[in-house]
Amino acid sequence: MNSGAIHKEDKILIGDVRLEDIPQIIALDAEITKISKPELWYSYYAPAGRTQPRWFLAAHEGNRVVGYILGEVRAWEFGSPPCGWIFAIGVLPGSRIGGIGTRLLDAMIERFRPTGVKTIRTMLHIDEHVLMSFFRSRGMAAGPFVELEASIDL
Ligand SMILES: CC(C)(COP(=O)(O)OP(=O)(O)OC[C@H]1O[C@@H](n2cnc3c(N)ncnc32)[C@H](O)[C@@H]1OP(=O)(O)O)[C@@H](O)C(=O)NCCC(=O)NCCS
């Protein structure tokens, strides 16, 4: 599917998110999730006092943001050795199935690799079929951790 989009992809550059990208990322995330979270996205851009390595990357077509990805190396969380977490990824609906999501994920993996992590990890809702297909297509599969949750009023 991606081979037909090579020409379009050539115009897309992946790099660090810039301050002026944040409003477009807020809008794109709000389009995907139906919730606008400006404080959250600005906090990802300026992570005050963070000790863990974090990357916030965007796919640019000119000045237009057509995708973003947020990732971080986290150590010994839930007893796990350091691993690269993908916290969020999104591609503009009109720009999907052209390889941008793949390029964003690959770019994040290249940021993780020098840290020495051997595993990448993410969490998604079981009903998120497109995200599930995307991550499965990149070789990701169910891991050894299981999420447990309950109402706080249990
Ligand atoms: C998941 C997402 C990032 C994929 O971006 P994309 O640029 O379309 O991905 P790619 O073009 O690199 O696709 C790579 C592979 O993923 C799979 N895939 C992507 N979209 C798919 C879809 N709609 N249905 C089935 N498989 C799909 C395919 O296997 C595809 O490979 P192929 O094109 O060779 O068949 C994009 O659909 C998206 O932003 N979805 C919403 C994400 C979201 O909910 N984010 C908020 C919570 S983190």
Side-chain angles (χ1 to χ4, degrees):
M1 233 189 280
N2 288 341
S3 54
I6 286 170
H7 180 66
K8 189 167 196 272
E9 242 184 88
D10 283 343
K11 294 188 294 186
I12 289 165
L13 300 174
I14 312 284
D16 290 327
V17 162
R18 304 170 301 209
L19 184 58
E20 61 267 30
D21 295 335
I22 305 288
Q24 293 185 70
I25 291 173
I26 293 166
L28 174 49
D29 168 65
E31 185 175 350
I32 294 171
T33 66
K34 312 296 177 218
I35 304 169
S36 182
K37 318 171 195 84
E39 287 165 21
L40 185 73
W41 290 108
Y42 278 107
S43 77
Y44 289 146
Y45 179 76
R50 291 211 64 80
T51 53
Q52 312 270 41
R54 171 180 281 181
W55 294 270
F56 189 9
L57 307 178
H60 294 102
E61 191 173 19
N63 286 327
R64 201 163 69 114
V65 173
V66 292
Y68 61 83
I69 188 167
L70 180 72
E72 183 175 305
V73 171
R74 303 194 79 141
W76 307 113
E77 209 173 49
F78 315 113
S80 161
C83 96
W85 273 94
I86 307 295
F87 289 128
I89 184 167
V91 171
L92 204 64
S95 300
R96 291 181 185 172
I97 315 286
I100 295 172
T102 300
R103 288 186 58 193
L104 284 163
L105 184 60
D106 288 350
M108 187 59 71
I109 289 168
E110 289 315 310
R111 276 26 174 220
F112 289 156
R113 199 183 299 283
T115 73
V117 300
K118 302 292 181 223
T119 307
I120 61 168
R121 188 169 284 151
T122 193
M123 187 156 69
L124 62 155
H125 196 283
I126 197 161
D127 291 337
E128 294 281 3
H129 299 296
V130 170
L131 267 177
M132 188 72 81
S133 297
F134 171 72
F135 284 121
R136 291 288 293 118
S137 84
R138 308 317 305 156
M140 296 181 75
F145 290 85
V146 175
E147 182 238 5
L148 301 179
E149 65 178 38
S151 162
I152 201 156
D153 298 321
L154 84 167

